[in-house]
Amino acid sequence: GLPTSPPPVLAERRKTRQLMVGPVGVGSEHPVSVQSMTTTQTSDVNATLQQIAELTAAGCDIVRVACPRPEDAEALPAIAQKSKIPVIADIHFQPRYVFAAIEAGCAGVRVNPGNIKKFDDRVGEIAQAAKDHGTPIRIGVNAGSLDQRLLQKHGKATPEALAESALWEAGLFAEHDFHDIKISVKHNDPVVMVRAYEILAEQCDYPLHLGVTEAGPAFQGTIKSSVAFGALLRQGIGDTIRVSLSAPPVEEVKVGTQILESLNLRPRKLEIVSCPSCGRAQVDVYKLADEVTAGLEGMEIPLRVAVMGCVVNGPGEAREADLGVASGNGKGQIFVKGEVIRTVPEHQIVETLIEEAMRIAEESGES
Ligand code: SF4
């Protein structure tokens, strides 16, 4: 096809240090990546690898696994080796698992300083081990497990307290000349969370991992994460994201991917432009949009598909899209790249759109 200019974005990325999580670059020179976390017992290697494969297929760039028990630490080498995407071990409480994860060949380790006793005394050893293996560390501060000193100083998990905790720990690593760090400061309140990341962005140049923690079930969590990430990405803040949902992790990846696609931070794939329907609709738009979405799920090429309920805005939107339908009078006018290619009875709209989408994909050579 013709060379096209990159789609517009809302902000330039904040300049950061760069680090590598396995083959995935994190920092302002690299695309914003999507992360998720497995919900399997990490010790169950097959189940964990199976879930990682599902996450990979959904577009996940980096996966994190919990490591609460010795048998989980023992499973890390096999998981790190067999996963197609880089694996980060999530460590709370036990510094010995940090060393185990590094030695297991994990692409990164997440530590929560608030949950590791005498963490400050262990930083030197951790920095040395991480340096020896080229393993980056995420300092993952969480409102629910904030360092006691900072909790006392600030009274509660304020944005300032969260940022100060992370910067304190980063400072300790820096004293040991270790800078392969990314930072997260998660809170369940998007307002507190956004402010905490803004403070961090002003005060350091480490890459930032965005997350609203305990964001809730899918609907609420999706909205909380979307508005918070949007507010930050609008300022160029955020280098890797994790949407936390009380829902299967594949859903987190879908939401994260959609957030990035919405802001042109990741190439858009399937995009359904469908109208909300109104009193003018001559077709069941909800049903049609759902059926088209389901029929085209997993399309690997960028495709904008318009599904419009009537002829008011229908033909206009359908023409702007790669593919579209404007319904009316029990029929659907099918548009491809702005041209009406045919008019079909209502019951053939879905199959015709899917057929045409497959043809476009085939012609682009990427089906
Ligand atoms: Fe209503 Fe037609 Fe607009 Fe859909 S396209 S919202 S049916 S006016």
Side-chain angles (χ1 to χ4, degrees):
L2 294 171
T4 47
S5 51
V9 290
L10 289 172
E12 254 183 60
R13 298 273 297 283
R14 153 185 169 265
K15 293 272 168 282
T16 70
R17 291 169 173 275
Q18 316 300 319
L19 57 81
M20 297 303 291
V21 178
V24 178
V26 176
S28 49
E29 305 300 315
H30 303 279
V32 179
S33 47
V34 172
Q35 305 202 16
S36 185
M37 189 164 178
T38 52
T39 54
T40 51
Q41 304 265 312
T42 302
S43 56
D44 186 341
V45 173
N46 287 338
T48 303
L49 284 170
Q50 173 60 34
Q51 195 173 53
I52 292 176
E54 287 161 19
L55 294 171
T56 307
C60 188
D61 298 303
I62 297 170
V63 67
R64 187 154 45 105
V65 301
C67 186
R69 302 164 307 170
E71 54 267 42
D72 299 313
E74 277 159 30
L76 290 177
I79 294 169
Q81 199 202 343
K82 292 196 182 124
S83 169
K84 296 261 192 301
I85 54 174
V87 174
I88 293 180
D90 191 69
I91 315 287
H92 294 261
F93 306 113
Q94 298 274 11
R96 66 193 157 106
Y97 294 146
V98 175
F99 303 109
I102 291 172
E103 263 147 47
C106 287
V109 177
R110 179 272 173 117
V111 294
N112 176 351
N115 266 351
I116 294 182
K117 274 204 194 81
K118 301 224 165 93
F119 183 82
D120 297 5
D121 302 339
R122 310 298 299 271
V123 166
E125 279 169 87
I126 293 174
Q128 192 57 51
K131 232 187 271 182
D132 291 346
H133 291 77
T135 314
I137 303 266
R138 168 157 67 96
I139 298 173
V141 170
N142 199 306
S145 51
L146 187 62
D147 192 314
Q148 285 305 318
R149 294 166 297 185
L150 289 155
L151 205 51
Q152 273 159 21
K153 175 173 166 193
H154 293 268
K156 59 178 181 169
T158 61
E160 291 75 14
L162 292 165
E164 190 178 332
S165 174
L167 290 170
W168 164 261
E169 301 303 339
L172 294 180
F173 278 105
E175 276 174 25
H176 294 276
D177 198 29
F178 185 81
H179 303 277
D180 247 3
I181 291 170
K182 56 195 164 86
I183 294 180
S184 64
V185 281
K186 299 191 183 181
H187 196 288
N188 63 47
D189 182 335
V191 175
V192 177
M193 175 272 192
V194 167
R195 191 62 204 122
Y197 278 95
E198 286 173 344
I199 295 170
L200 275 184
E202 279 164 24
Q203 299 192 1
C204 74
D205 63 355
Y206 291 114
L208 300 179
H209 163 121
L210 304 186
V212 175
T213 189
E214 291 105 31
F219 178 75
Q220 180 188 291
T222 296
I223 292 175
K224 276 191 175 185
S225 298
S226 303
V227 294
F229 295 2
L232 289 164
L233 292 166
R234 174 67 183 97
Q235 306 174 64
I237 300 172
D239 304 289
T240 182
I241 63 171
R242 192 265 171 116
V243 173
S244 302
L245 300 177
S246 305
V250 162
E251 299 305 312
E252 300 184 343
V253 173
K254 286 188 190 165
V255 174
T257 303
Q258 192 80 62
I259 291 171
L260 297 183
E261 287 185 15
S262 299
L263 294 170
N264 282 339
L265 293 170
R266 172 174 288 220
R268 292 182 189 176
K269 288 184 181 166
L270 177 63
E271 187 180 359
I272 304 287
V273 180
S274 58
C275 82
S277 181
C278 73
R280 279 181 285 270
Q282 295 175 350
V283 68
D284 185 344
V285 178
Y286 304 168
K287 183 161 165 269
L288 194 56
D290 279 346
E291 287 174 358
V292 172
T293 307
L296 295 178
E297 209 192 336
M299 287 287 288
E300 285 298 318
I301 58 159
L303 192 71
R304 199 175 149 93
V305 183
V307 177
M308 307 298 288
C310 81
V311 292
V312 170
N313 295 317
E317 285 286 3
R319 260 188 221 110
E320 292 291 310
D322 297 304
L323 176 63
V325 59
S327 306
N329 278 334
K331 286 180 276 203
Q333 281 186 318
I334 306 290
F335 291 79
V336 173
K337 309 269 180 215
E339 303 289 334
V340 179
I341 55 149
R342 78 181 105 135
T343 301
V344 299
E346 202 174 298
H347 70 272
Q348 288 176 13
I349 292 174
V350 175
E351 59 180 85
T352 310
L353 286 176
I354 293 171
E355 234 172 73
E356 289 303 323
M358 296 304 165
R359 208 176 45 73
I360 294 173
E362 241 162 64
E363 279 168 11
S364 79
E366 292 182 44
S367 67

